[in-house]
Amino acid sequence: MGRRFELVTVVLPWNGQAVFCRGELDGLPVFGWRGRPGAVPAGLCTRRQLRAEGLRPGGADPVALLVFGHRLPARSVEVCPLWRRETARPVRPMTAAKWAAHRAAMRARQLCRTCLAQVDHVVRGPLRQCSTCYQSDDATWSAA
């Protein structure tokens, strides 16, 4: 069975509100998943939640942690940092130079290392080969 956290009362330093949490880790309060006792109070977000709102942490340190379980047995418990929505800053817009660097990086990911052809999708696998080169190599390996 997974580790059980005891519910404790903690006073949040940024608003003075007393809330239930599941203890502390490295001096930060640990909250559980929403809908349960010790759930995350309003105003705290993960990095992905901030990004979905067009925000970023902006160099601020996390103020709390979120602990949640996975369905996959290999990743039974995950700990995720939480930031305050009030202190988050807007995401910086992409400049022309950043877009050019992004396009160059995507072109590099679409290049077959064997035939040096540019394909219309991201080339995956340890050899970074297009499907034609991969199939010809596969025939070579199976014939040997």
Side-chain angles (χ1 to χ4, degrees), residues 1-123:
M1 202 84 184
R3 179 179 170 194
R4 300 278 183 207
F5 289 95
E6 293 182 21
L7 290 178
V8 296
T9 305
V10 173
V11 177
L12 300 176
W14 57 89
N15 63 5
Q17 180 184 7
V19 296
F20 284 112
C21 73
R22 297 178 180 243
E24 288 188 344
L25 182 64
D26 296 331
L28 298 176
V30 177
F31 294 101
W33 195 246
R34 298 186 191 278
R36 296 185 180 170
V40 178
L44 296 182
C45 299
T46 63
R47 185 181 298 270
R48 286 187 179 199
Q49 289 170 336
L50 287 176
R51 187 62 182 208
E53 296 176 17
L55 301 171
R56 62 186 170 92
D61 291 330
V63 295
L65 299 172
L66 171 68
V67 64
F68 58 95
H70 282 278
R71 291 186 200 135
L72 300 174
R75 297 178 63 187
S76 59
V77 176
E78 184 88 22
V79 178
C80 179
L82 296 170
W83 286 272
R84 292 178 51 202
R85 183 180 286 123
E86 300 89 38
T87 61
R89 296 182 180 167
V91 175
R92 294 184 196 119
M94 290 283 281
T95 63
K98 285 184 181 181
W99 278 116
H102 176 70
R103 283 191 296 272
M106 290 307 295
R107 273 195 311 272
R109 293 181 68 197
Q110 295 171 346
L111 182 68
C112 174
R113 291 187 182 173
T114 305
C115 66
L116 300 177
Q118 197 77 27
V119 294
D120 62 348
H121 59 277
V122 174
V123 181

